[in-house]
Amino acid sequence: MLSSHMAIHIAAMNGLAPLAVWLLPARLRSRISVPIGLFAATVIQLALLWGWHAPFAMQWAGTSSVPSALMHLTLFLSALAFWDAVFSDARSRPWNALLALLVTGKLFCLLGVLLVFSPRALYAAPLGDQQLAGLLMLIACPATYVLGSIILVRDWYARTEIAGGWHFPEGER
């Protein structure tokens, strides 16, 4: 079922990955993270998400457990890299982190909209199941990215209060 497949993606990419990154202490995160940069992490995550959800890729992933596991693993690892880059950039370049969350959230939602409102089944699944999968995306993805943005802005605001007022990070004036 496509909807249960999507629920696994959502749990891994929008639940487990951001929580794992957020809860790990920064010193431990810096030891295990791959510093690819926020832009690269955003592009990789979006490319993998849209690439894996192309009809031919979904069909291949459904042929056996190996391609399915590869899909889940690469999407999860890209989400870990993305959230690590977001939380890392949030301290020095909060506007970049917020922009990455906005762009990624919008493109995740767009995929959900396509699944919900497509007039025909795009995958080897009943149209109703495809629509449910898209609806799951439309519920979970905005909540994740809005909550992530709220946390980043709250932390940014707390840092500025401690520093004695609003200031712009170096190079953002």
Side-chain angles (χ1 to χ4, degrees):
M1 301 254 326
L2 184 61
S3 55
S4 60
H5 178 83
M6 193 63 69
I8 293 169
H9 284 336
I10 290 169
M13 296 180 76
N14 295 49
L16 186 57
L19 277 175
V21 171
W22 188 49
L23 294 176
L24 277 177
R27 67 182 186 288
L28 180 59
R29 217 173 59 228
S30 67
R31 289 183 187 160
I32 61 174
S33 69
V34 179
I36 60 173
L38 182 59
F39 179 76
T42 302
V43 169
I44 290 168
Q45 179 178 240
L46 289 171
L48 284 171
L49 178 80
W50 280 83
W52 274 118
H53 287 85
F56 70 89
M58 286 291 284
Q59 182 179 356
W60 180 64
T63 60
S64 76
S65 59
V66 173
S68 180
L70 181 64
M71 173 193 272
H72 289 295
L73 180 64
T74 57
L75 287 172
F76 177 66
L77 292 175
S78 70
L80 277 176
F82 171 77
W83 286 101
D84 180 55
V86 164
F87 287 123
S88 295
D89 271 32
R91 292 193 72 63
S92 60
R93 296 181 297 266
W95 287 112
N96 292 358
L98 290 170
L99 181 61
L101 287 171
L102 174 69
V103 168
T104 304
K106 293 291 182 186
L107 291 173
F108 269 67
C109 285
L110 179 59
L111 181 56
V113 166
L114 290 173
L115 295 178
V116 169
F117 294 107
S118 175
R120 63 179 179 80
L122 301 174
Y123 308 116
L127 181 60
D129 187 41
Q130 174 183 296
Q131 291 169 332
L132 178 58
L135 186 61
L136 290 174
M137 288 184 77
L138 289 175
I139 292 168
C141 294
T144 303
Y145 294 100
V146 169
L147 180 60
S149 298
I150 290 169
I151 290 169
L152 294 183
V153 169
R154 182 206 63 195
D155 291 348
W156 185 17
Y157 181 75
R159 286 192 312 273
T160 59
E161 284 295 307
I162 291 169
W166 285 98
H167 69 283
F168 289 92
E170 202 59 38
E172 290 191 19
R173 293 179 190 209

